[in-house]
Amino acid sequence: LIDFKELKYPSGSGIEYFDGKIYIVGDDAGSILVTNRRWKNREEIILFETTEARIPKKEKADLEASAIIQLDKKTHLLLLGSGSRELRNKGIVYDIAAGEKTEFDFTVFYNRLKAAGITDLNIEGAAQVNKRLVFCNRGNKTNPGNQVVITTPDFFRHQDDAPIELLNIKMPEHEGRIGISGLAYSEVHDILLFTTSTEDTKNSVDDGPIGKSYLGVIENFNWKIAKGKMKVNELIDLSASDEGFAGYKIESVCIQSEKNRSMKIQLVADNDTGETYLFKAVLEIG
């Protein structure tokens, strides 16, 4: 851990890096917070018209997953509702260069995911992996398995027939019951990073007491997709690696920069308090 900051921004759930800027998304926020890589020069992108600092739980879109994607030779920020309730089937595609947002309803696609075998839908992370889009579905006490959903970046344009592949994630031994909360992909190393946290909740809607958070590493990710087996190579106990992580529910991760044997990453946490906490860390590889 090399830096930390607390922000007066509601419920950080997603974090992305593109072109020198950090994009922070809150699951009950009315806007995206944009900063430089040192968390300064802040600006906001309005998503929803609201007078409340936090959109009420029963009304929020629950934007839990985010990804930088390439569509039509342009860079977009994709935001996805968790799908854990009907109101949470919404999503937004934001054209970064044009500064334009388009809202979508993912109900058709999310219903297909349920029909394909996801018992308790709770989309919590997303990342573009070459020409694929990868989601993670978060497990809980009742449905403990975490799953990877593989489709295409433009799935929302043809939800009836967009490809769907589901893979169960095989975790190494760990303490507590963990649910994946965010994704980031390194094309340089072909590694999928994911954040997880232990939370004592029986379903995809309610919050629970916060336990440990982990950073997961899946190496040779494209090869594992081809083999249809998603085994995690390493699960890093963040609070054991640095006590500065202790007590925080890590919600997502992004990659700021990479070298041959290391990555500089940023992580976001929310703690269910309505505030947002940012972390910058160096991850050694190999």
Side-chain angles (χ1 to χ4, degrees), residues 15-31:
I15 187 166
E16 300 297 331
Y17 176 79
F18 176 71
D19 195 24
K21 292 184 177 181
I22 300 293
Y23 295 83
I24 303 162
V25 184
D27 64 31
D28 58 10
S31 63

Side-chain angles (χ1 to χ4, degrees), residues 32 45-48 63 69 71-72 76-80 90-96 98-106 156-157:
I32 302 168
I45 299 169
I46 302 300
L47 297 179
F48 309 111
L63 300 176
I69 64 171
L71 285 174
D72 307 324
H76 298 76
L77 178 61
L78 172 66
L79 310 176
L80 301 108
K90 298 176 182 178
I92 292 173
V93 178
Y94 180 76
D95 184 328
I96 292 177
E100 298 175 348
K101 70 179 178 74
T102 306
E103 293 188 21
F104 289 89
D105 186 324
F106 300 147
F156 49 86
R157 292 174 172 171

Side-chain angles (χ1 to χ4, degrees), residues 248-265:
Y248 292 95
K249 185 175 72 171
I250 303 298
E251 289 281 354
S252 196
V253 59
C254 68
I255 299 168
Q256 179 180 314
S257 60
E258 300 182 73
K259 296 181 180 179
N260 286 338
R261 294 188 174 273
S262 68
M263 298 181 195
K264 185 177 287 185
I265 61 175

Side-chain angles (χ1 to χ4, degrees), residues 1 13 20 22 24 44 63 152 154 165 177 192 221 247 278:
L1 181 63
S13 60
I22 300 293
I24 303 162
E44 291 191 55
L63 300 176
T152 55
D154 65 345
E165 182 178 359
R177 194 177 300 284
L192 187 76
F221 184 65
L278 300 173

Side-chain angles (χ1 to χ4, degrees), residues 212-278:
K212 288 187 175 184
S213 289
Y214 297 86
L215 181 69
V217 180
I218 302 177
E219 300 173 359
N220 304 311
F221 184 65
N222 279 286
W223 180 83
K224 287 178 179 176
I225 290 176
K227 291 294 183 181
K229 296 182 179 180
M230 199 53 58
K231 185 177 180 180
V232 176
N233 294 86
E234 188 173 7
L235 197 59
I236 301 166
D237 182 336
L238 290 173
S239 59
S241 66
D242 194 296
E243 62 182 13
F245 286 109
Y248 292 95
K249 185 175 72 171
I250 303 298
E251 289 281 354
S252 196
V253 59
C254 68
I255 299 168
Q256 179 180 314
S257 60
E258 300 182 73
K259 296 181 180 179
N260 286 338
R261 294 188 174 273
S262 68
M263 298 181 195
K264 185 177 287 185
I265 61 175
Q266 295 209 18
L267 305 101
V268 64
D270 76 353
N271 272 25
D272 299 329
T273 63
E275 296 180 337
T276 291
Y277 307 88
L278 300 173

Side-chain angles (χ1 to χ4, degrees), residues 174-185:
H174 57 274
E175 179 182 324
R177 194 177 300 284
I178 62 177
I180 293 182
S181 56
L183 299 180
Y185 176 70

Side-chain angles (χ1 to χ4, degrees), residues 186-210:
S186 164
E187 187 173 351
V188 173
H189 297 95
D190 191 25
I191 286 175
L192 187 76
L193 300 180
F194 63 87
T195 52
T196 80
S197 57
T198 59
E199 187 176 23
D200 190 11
T201 179
K202 295 181 179 180
N203 56 58
S204 59
V205 176
D206 295 326
D207 296 321
I210 297 165

